Amino acid sequence: MNAIMSPHRGLRIEDLRAGYGETVVLDGISLDLAPGGTLAVLGRNGVGKTTLLATVMGHTTLHGGTIGFAGESIGAFPAYRRARLGIGFVPQEREIFRSLTVEENLMVAARSSPGAGSRWTCERVYDFFPSLAERRRNHGNALSGGEQQMLAIARALMGNPTLLLMDEPLEGLAPVIVEAVLAGLERLKREDDLALLLVEQHAHIALEFAEHALVLDRGRIVHQGASRLLLANPETLAGIIGIGART
Protein backbone atom coordinates (compact mmCIF):
# COMPACT_ATOMS: atom_id res chain seq x y z
CA MET A 1 0.00 0.00 0.00
CA ASN A 2 1.20 3.47 -0.77
CA ALA A 3 -0.29 5.08 2.34
CA ILE A 4 2.32 6.78 4.49
CA MET A 5 1.90 6.33 8.24
CA SER A 6 3.43 8.25 11.10
CA PRO A 7 5.17 5.64 13.29
CA HIS A 8 4.03 7.57 16.36
CA ARG A 9 0.31 8.04 15.71
CA GLY A 10 -1.15 5.71 13.10
CA LEU A 11 -1.90 2.00 12.91
CA ARG A 12 0.88 -0.29 11.69
CA ILE A 13 0.52 -4.04 11.41
CA GLU A 14 3.47 -6.19 10.35
CA ASP A 15 3.44 -9.91 9.48
CA LEU A 16 0.41 -10.54 11.67
CA ARG A 17 -0.67 -14.08 12.52
CA ALA A 18 -3.76 -14.33 14.70
CA GLY A 19 -6.90 -16.33 15.34
CA TYR A 20 -8.92 -18.04 18.03
CA GLY A 21 -7.13 -20.32 20.44
CA GLU A 22 -4.73 -22.48 18.43
CA THR A 23 -6.55 -21.82 15.16
CA VAL A 24 -4.74 -19.32 12.91
CA VAL A 25 -7.17 -17.25 10.81
CA LEU A 26 -4.92 -14.39 9.67
CA ASP A 27 -1.51 -15.18 8.23
CA GLY A 28 1.11 -12.63 7.20
CA ILE A 29 -1.05 -9.48 7.32
CA SER A 30 0.80 -6.16 6.99
CA LEU A 31 -0.80 -2.73 6.60
CA ASP A 32 -0.34 0.95 7.42
CA LEU A 33 -3.12 3.40 8.16
CA ALA A 34 -2.13 7.03 8.65
CA PRO A 35 -3.85 9.40 11.06
CA GLY A 36 -6.94 10.69 9.28
CA GLY A 37 -6.64 7.99 6.60
CA THR A 38 -9.37 5.69 5.32
CA LEU A 39 -9.00 1.99 4.54
CA ALA A 40 -11.63 -0.44 3.24
CA VAL A 41 -11.20 -4.16 3.95
CA LEU A 42 -13.00 -6.31 1.38
CA GLY A 43 -13.43 -9.99 0.67
CA ARG A 44 -15.89 -12.85 0.60
CA ASN A 45 -17.59 -14.07 3.77
CA GLY A 46 -15.37 -16.03 6.12
CA VAL A 47 -11.98 -14.79 4.87
CA GLY A 48 -10.91 -13.04 8.09
CA LYS A 49 -12.24 -9.48 7.83
CA THR A 50 -14.01 -9.46 11.19
CA THR A 51 -11.07 -11.30 12.75
CA LEU A 52 -8.76 -8.52 11.59
CA LEU A 53 -10.80 -5.89 13.43
CA ALA A 54 -11.14 -8.13 16.48
CA THR A 55 -7.36 -8.60 16.52
CA VAL A 56 -6.68 -4.87 16.39
CA MET A 57 -9.13 -4.49 19.28
CA GLY A 58 -7.49 -7.28 21.30
CA HIS A 59 -10.20 -9.93 21.12
CA THR A 60 -8.20 -12.76 19.49
CA THR A 61 -5.03 -14.77 20.08
CA LEU A 62 -1.88 -13.22 18.62
CA HIS A 63 0.41 -15.92 17.19
CA GLY A 64 3.02 -13.67 15.60
CA GLY A 65 3.82 -10.28 14.15
CA THR A 66 3.30 -6.83 15.62
CA ILE A 67 0.52 -4.28 16.02
CA GLY A 68 1.58 -0.69 16.55
CA PHE A 69 -0.69 2.23 17.37
CA ALA A 70 -0.10 5.74 18.71
CA GLY A 71 3.62 5.05 18.97
CA GLU A 72 3.23 1.92 21.10
CA SER A 73 3.38 -1.80 20.43
CA ILE A 74 -0.08 -2.89 21.54
CA GLY A 75 -0.06 -6.60 20.69
CA ALA A 76 -0.03 -7.59 24.36
CA PHE A 77 -2.46 -4.89 25.51
CA PRO A 78 -5.93 -5.88 26.72
CA ALA A 79 -8.87 -4.33 24.88
CA TYR A 80 -9.50 -1.63 27.50
CA ARG A 81 -5.94 -0.28 27.14
CA ARG A 82 -6.34 -0.11 23.37
CA ALA A 83 -9.59 1.80 23.82
CA ARG A 84 -7.87 4.22 26.19
CA LEU A 85 -5.17 4.82 23.58
CA GLY A 86 -7.87 5.95 21.15
CA ILE A 87 -9.25 2.91 19.29
CA GLY A 88 -13.02 2.83 18.87
CA PHE A 89 -14.95 -0.21 17.67
CA VAL A 90 -18.38 -0.53 16.03
CA PRO A 91 -19.17 -4.28 16.03
CA GLN A 92 -21.30 -5.93 13.39
CA GLU A 93 -23.91 -6.84 16.02
CA ARG A 94 -24.07 -3.15 17.18
CA GLU A 95 -24.33 -4.24 20.84
CA ILE A 96 -26.10 -1.15 22.10
CA PHE A 97 -27.68 -1.19 25.57
CA ARG A 98 -31.31 -1.87 24.75
CA SER A 99 -32.59 -1.04 28.24
CA LEU A 100 -30.96 2.43 28.19
CA THR A 101 -32.11 5.51 26.31
CA VAL A 102 -30.16 6.87 23.36
CA GLU A 103 -28.65 9.58 25.55
CA GLU A 104 -27.78 7.12 28.32
CA ASN A 105 -26.04 4.90 25.75
CA LEU A 106 -23.96 7.89 24.70
CA MET A 107 -23.14 9.10 28.19
CA VAL A 108 -22.02 5.71 29.46
CA ALA A 109 -19.39 5.65 26.69
CA ALA A 110 -18.20 9.25 27.09
CA ARG A 111 -14.53 9.76 27.88
CA SER A 112 -11.51 11.65 26.63
CA SER A 113 -8.55 9.96 24.98
CA PRO A 114 -4.88 10.88 24.47
CA GLY A 115 -4.45 13.06 21.40
CA ALA A 116 -8.19 13.49 20.92
CA GLY A 117 -9.33 15.17 24.11
CA SER A 118 -13.12 15.45 24.47
CA ARG A 119 -14.20 16.83 21.14
CA TRP A 120 -17.21 14.50 20.93
CA THR A 121 -20.28 15.41 22.96
CA CYS A 122 -23.93 14.42 22.75
CA GLU A 123 -24.77 17.63 20.93
CA ARG A 124 -22.09 17.07 18.31
CA VAL A 125 -23.30 13.49 17.81
CA TYR A 126 -26.85 14.76 17.35
CA ASP A 127 -25.60 17.21 14.75
CA PHE A 128 -24.08 14.32 12.79
CA PHE A 129 -27.10 12.05 13.24
CA PRO A 130 -30.21 14.25 13.63
CA SER A 131 -32.55 11.27 13.93
CA LEU A 132 -30.81 10.34 17.19
CA ALA A 133 -31.58 13.79 18.57
CA GLU A 134 -35.25 13.19 17.88
CA ARG A 135 -35.06 9.83 19.68
CA ARG A 136 -32.75 10.78 22.54
CA ARG A 137 -35.30 9.75 25.20
CA ASN A 138 -36.19 6.45 23.51
CA HIS A 139 -34.74 3.19 24.74
CA GLY A 140 -32.47 1.14 22.52
CA ASN A 141 -35.06 -1.59 22.03
CA ALA A 142 -37.46 1.00 20.56
CA LEU A 143 -35.09 2.04 17.76
CA SER A 144 -35.14 0.84 14.17
CA GLY A 145 -32.19 -1.12 12.82
CA GLY A 146 -30.82 1.98 11.13
CA GLU A 147 -31.16 4.07 14.28
CA GLN A 148 -29.39 1.34 16.26
CA GLN A 149 -26.54 1.43 13.76
CA MET A 150 -26.24 5.22 14.05
CA LEU A 151 -26.25 4.86 17.83
CA ALA A 152 -23.51 2.22 17.71
CA ILE A 153 -21.32 4.56 15.66
CA ALA A 154 -22.19 7.54 17.86
CA ARG A 155 -21.43 5.61 21.03
CA ALA A 156 -17.98 4.71 19.69
CA LEU A 157 -17.36 8.37 18.84
CA MET A 158 -18.21 9.40 22.41
CA GLY A 159 -15.00 7.63 23.44
CA ASN A 160 -13.14 10.27 21.39
CA PRO A 161 -11.11 7.78 19.34
CA THR A 162 -8.39 8.64 16.84
CA LEU A 163 -8.98 5.32 15.04
CA LEU A 164 -12.47 3.96 14.39
CA LEU A 165 -12.99 0.31 13.40
CA MET A 166 -16.34 -0.43 11.74
CA ASP A 167 -17.56 -3.94 10.95
CA GLU A 168 -20.15 -3.88 8.13
CA PRO A 169 -22.01 -0.75 9.32
CA LEU A 170 -24.34 -0.81 6.29
CA GLU A 171 -25.49 -4.42 6.64
CA GLY A 172 -29.25 -4.88 6.44
CA LEU A 173 -30.04 -1.17 6.20
CA ALA A 174 -32.61 0.37 3.88
CA PRO A 175 -31.15 2.55 1.10
CA VAL A 176 -32.34 5.79 2.72
CA ILE A 177 -30.66 4.81 6.00
CA VAL A 178 -27.48 3.81 4.15
CA GLU A 179 -27.40 7.33 2.74
CA ALA A 180 -27.84 8.86 6.20
CA VAL A 181 -25.06 6.73 7.72
CA LEU A 182 -22.72 7.46 4.81
CA ALA A 183 -23.45 11.18 5.10
CA GLY A 184 -22.31 11.08 8.71
CA LEU A 185 -19.18 9.11 7.84
CA GLU A 186 -18.35 11.50 5.00
CA ARG A 187 -18.56 14.39 7.46
CA LEU A 188 -16.12 12.53 9.69
CA LYS A 189 -13.64 12.41 6.82
CA ARG A 190 -14.02 16.12 6.14
CA GLU A 191 -14.18 17.52 9.66
CA ASP A 192 -12.28 15.18 11.95
CA ASP A 193 -8.68 13.92 12.12
CA LEU A 194 -9.98 10.39 12.57
CA ALA A 195 -8.59 7.29 10.87
CA LEU A 196 -11.35 4.96 9.62
CA LEU A 197 -10.95 1.23 8.99
CA LEU A 198 -14.08 -0.11 7.32
CA VAL A 199 -15.04 -3.74 6.73
CA GLU A 200 -17.88 -3.79 4.22
CA GLN A 201 -19.60 -6.19 1.83
CA HIS A 202 -20.88 -3.37 -0.37
CA ALA A 203 -17.64 -3.19 -2.33
CA HIS A 204 -18.33 -0.19 -4.55
CA ILE A 205 -19.67 1.91 -1.70
CA ALA A 206 -16.63 1.05 0.42
CA LEU A 207 -14.20 1.84 -2.40
CA GLU A 208 -15.87 5.17 -3.10
CA PHE A 209 -15.65 6.03 0.59
CA ALA A 210 -12.10 4.91 1.45
CA GLU A 211 -8.91 6.17 -0.14
CA HIS A 212 -7.15 2.81 0.16
CA ALA A 213 -8.34 -0.78 0.09
CA LEU A 214 -7.13 -4.28 0.78
CA VAL A 215 -8.76 -7.57 -0.13
CA LEU A 216 -8.50 -10.68 2.02
CA ASP A 217 -8.82 -14.29 0.94
CA ARG A 218 -8.33 -17.22 3.32
CA GLY A 219 -6.68 -14.97 5.88
CA ARG A 220 -4.13 -13.45 3.51
CA ILE A 221 -3.96 -10.17 1.62
CA VAL A 222 -4.43 -10.81 -2.11
CA HIS A 223 -4.65 -7.17 -3.16
CA GLN A 224 -3.91 -3.78 -1.67
CA GLY A 225 -3.63 -0.29 -3.09
CA ALA A 226 -5.57 2.81 -4.02
CA SER A 227 -9.35 2.29 -4.09
CA ARG A 228 -9.66 4.25 -7.34
CA LEU A 229 -7.63 1.59 -9.16
CA LEU A 230 -10.09 -1.15 -8.21
CA LEU A 231 -13.04 1.05 -9.12
CA ALA A 232 -11.50 1.64 -12.53
CA ASN A 233 -11.03 -2.11 -13.10
CA PRO A 234 -14.34 -3.90 -12.43
CA GLU A 235 -13.03 -7.15 -13.94
CA THR A 236 -10.19 -7.23 -11.43
CA LEU A 237 -12.59 -6.40 -8.61
CA ALA A 238 -14.98 -9.18 -9.63
CA GLY A 239 -12.11 -11.63 -9.91
CA ILE A 240 -10.68 -11.09 -6.45
CA ILE A 241 -13.92 -10.51 -4.52
CA GLY A 242 -16.37 -12.64 -6.52
CA ILE A 243 -19.19 -12.06 -8.94
CA GLY A 244 -21.65 -12.22 -6.07
CA ALA A 245 -20.14 -9.24 -4.27
CA ARG A 246 -22.78 -6.65 -3.43
CA THR A 247 -22.41 -3.24 -5.01
Side-chain angles (χ1 to χ4, degrees), residues 60-91:
T60 66
T61 303
L62 187 63
H63 291 278
T66 60
I67 306 172
F69 177 71
E72 298 198 44
S73 178
I74 65 170
F77 285 11
Y80 74 88
R81 285 192 64 185
R82 302 182 195 212
R84 288 177 180 173
L85 272 179
I87 302 179
F89 183 39
V90 182

Side-chain angles (χ1 to χ4, degrees), residues 97 103-113 117-118 120-122 125 154-161:
F97 297 110
E103 195 144 305
E104 287 169 342
N105 266 275
L106 297 177
M107 293 307 300
V108 78
R111 65 172 182 82
S112 60
S113 70
S118 299
W120 283 99
T121 63
C122 286
V125 161
R155 186 182 60 181
L157 292 173
M158 288 294 290
N160 284 283

Side-chain angles (χ1 to χ4, degrees), residues 126-204:
Y126 294 148
D127 181 53
F128 268 69
F129 298 114
S131 62
L132 292 184
E134 299 170 2
R135 306 277 271 168
R136 68 176 71 191
R137 303 304 179 201
N138 291 86
H139 289 83
N141 59 9
L143 303 180
S144 69
E147 290 165 341
Q148 290 182 17
Q149 184 62 72
M150 293 178 195
L151 179 56
I153 295 171
R155 186 182 60 181
L157 292 173
M158 288 294 290
N160 284 283
T162 53
L163 168 64
L164 185 61
L165 314 175
M166 293 179 289
D167 193 358
E168 299 198 22
L170 308 180
E171 182 181 22
L173 302 184
V176 65
I177 303 300
V178 168
E179 291 181 7
V181 172
L182 284 174
L185 296 181
E186 288 289 349
R187 281 190 64 186
L188 283 179
K189 285 200 303 182
R190 296 193 306 269
E191 300 177 13
D192 208 83
D193 186 23
L194 177 65
L196 299 169
L197 200 165
L198 171 69
V199 165
E200 185 52 61
Q201 288 286 349
H202 296 80
H204 285 80

Side-chain angles (χ1 to χ4, degrees), residues 1 213-216 220-227 229-230 236 240:
M1 181 181 299
L214 66 82
V215 182
L216 292 178
R220 292 179 175 271
I221 295 176
V222 295
H223 177 89
Q224 56 183 326
S227 296
L229 298 180
L230 276 180
T236 300
I240 59 179

